[in-house]
Amino acid sequence: MKPDDAADRLRALHTEAAHLPTSTSSAEFNSWNLRVRSVLNRALGETHHITETFLDIRWTPTMYTMGDNSAFINTFRATIPEAQGVLDAAIAELDLLADDTPIADESGVDPELWEHVAPEMQAGAWGKVASQAVIFTEDRVRKWAGRPVGEVGKDLAVAIFGKAGQFQMGKTEGETQGWQLFAQGIAQALRNVDAHRIQDRPDHKRYALGLVGACSLLLTQMRYEHGNRFRDTAPASSGSE
C-alpha cells in the first residue's frame, strides 16, 4: 500500500471515529477497528510503534459498577480522541514516507521479489529487506534452473551463469562473464554478510534498496533471456528469447 493511499484511508477513518456508536460491541465499531488495524499493518507494519500503540488502546474502564453502563460510555467517548491522536501520528508518518524520494518502487522491481520484501520494506525493517532479497533471489534462480538445494554461493552462480552454465547471459564472452561475476557478487558479498550477521549502518535504507535493485536486475535479465526455459511455473517475461 502506497503511503499516500494509506494516509487518505486513515483520514477517512479518523473522521468516522467521531460518529461511532458508544459501544465496543457494535458492528460499526468492530468494522472500524479492524479496518484501522488492517491499514496500519499494511502501511507501517505490525511491529511499528504507532501500530502497537493503537493495539494497546483500552476502550473499556478498568473499574465499574454492575448494572451502570455510564462508565463504559464515558470511557469510550474519552478514548475516541486518543485513538484519533494515534491516527494523526500515523498520517504524519506516512506523509513523511510519501515525501521521501523513492529509490525503488513496485513498478521498477521484479514482481515476485517485490511481493516478498514489501512487508519488511513498508515496516522500515531494512536489515530484513536486505537479507530476504538475497535469500529469495538465490532460491528463485536455483528453482528456475532446477539446481540442488545444497548448491549455494559461487558454485550456484557458476553452474547457472558460467561458461558451461544452463542460463548464460549476454551476447559476448565479456557480457557472459560479467553476468556471472555479478551473480557471484550477490551470492558471496551480499548474501554472506546479510545472512550471517546484523549490520548496523547509518545508510541502511539506501543500502537495502540498492541491494533489492541488484537482485531485481539479475532476475529481470534471466526472465528476458531465458523465461521460456524455467523449470518451475514462475511467469516469464514477454521479452524472453
Side-chain angles (χ1 to χ4, degrees):
M1 182 180 293
K2 294 182 179 179
D4 286 338
D5 294 336
D8 287 342
R9 295 190 185 193
L10 290 178
R11 290 187 182 96
L13 290 164
H14 184 288
T15 301
E16 185 179 339
H19 306 287
L20 292 171
T22 55
S23 171
T24 56
S25 61
S26 70
E28 293 87 348
F29 171 78
N30 285 314
S31 171
W32 175 86
N33 189 41
L34 289 173
R35 282 180 283 134
V36 172
R37 292 185 181 199
S38 177
V39 174
L40 291 176
N41 285 342
R42 293 183 62 187
L44 298 177
E46 295 181 8
T47 60
H48 194 284
H49 69 277
I50 293 177
T51 304
E52 292 180 339
T53 299
F54 181 82
L55 296 178
D56 289 339
I57 291 176
R58 294 185 61 88
W59 292 89
T60 55
T62 55
M63 298 181 63
Y64 59 91
T65 302
M66 292 294 294
D68 183 5
N69 292 329
S70 62
F72 289 89
I73 294 173
N74 292 335
T75 300
F76 189 97
R77 287 174 175 168
T79 306
I80 289 292
E82 179 185 350
Q84 289 176 316
V86 175
L87 295 185
D88 284 334
I91 291 167
E93 180 81 357
L94 290 166
D95 286 341
L96 289 174
L97 292 174
D99 289 340
D100 285 346
T101 301
I103 301 175
D105 60 27
E106 185 174 4
S107 64
V109 176
D110 177 85
E112 288 187 295
L113 173 61
W114 176 267
E115 182 179 1
H116 188 75
V117 301
E120 284 77 17
M121 192 174 292
Q122 290 164 356
W126 303 116
K128 290 183 178 179
V129 170
S131 62
Q132 289 303 308
V134 291
I135 291 171
F136 174 86
T137 300
E138 181 178 280
D139 180 73
R140 178 58 61 218
V141 300
R142 182 188 294 110
K143 287 180 178 177
W144 283 349
R147 303 300 302 180
V149 175
E151 198 169 56
V152 299
K154 179 180 178 181
D155 291 340
L156 180 64
V158 172
I160 296 177
F161 305 108
K163 288 185 178 181
Q166 296 167 262
F167 292 146
Q168 288 186 23
M169 296 197 297
K171 297 187 180 300
T172 67
E173 183 178 348
E175 290 176 8
T176 298
Q177 184 180 30
W179 281 112
Q180 177 192 330
L181 294 175
F182 181 69
Q184 286 181 219
I186 292 176
Q188 293 179 262
L190 302 180
R191 185 191 187 286
N192 283 348
V193 64
D194 287 300
H196 297 301
R197 66 177 183 270
I198 298 174
Q199 295 200 80
D200 182 15
R201 46 191 299 167
D203 59 347
H204 215 163
K205 176 181 178 180
R206 183 174 294 116
Y207 168 82
L209 292 178
L211 193 155
V212 169
C215 291
S216 176
L217 176 59
L218 182 66
L219 296 175
T220 298
Q221 189 67 16
M222 285 189 71
R223 290 184 190 276
Y224 177 76
E225 293 202 35
H226 302 289
N228 59 346
R229 298 176 51 220
F230 292 160
R231 298 289 183 90
D232 67 0
T233 58
S237 167
S238 58
S240 299
E241 296 180 346

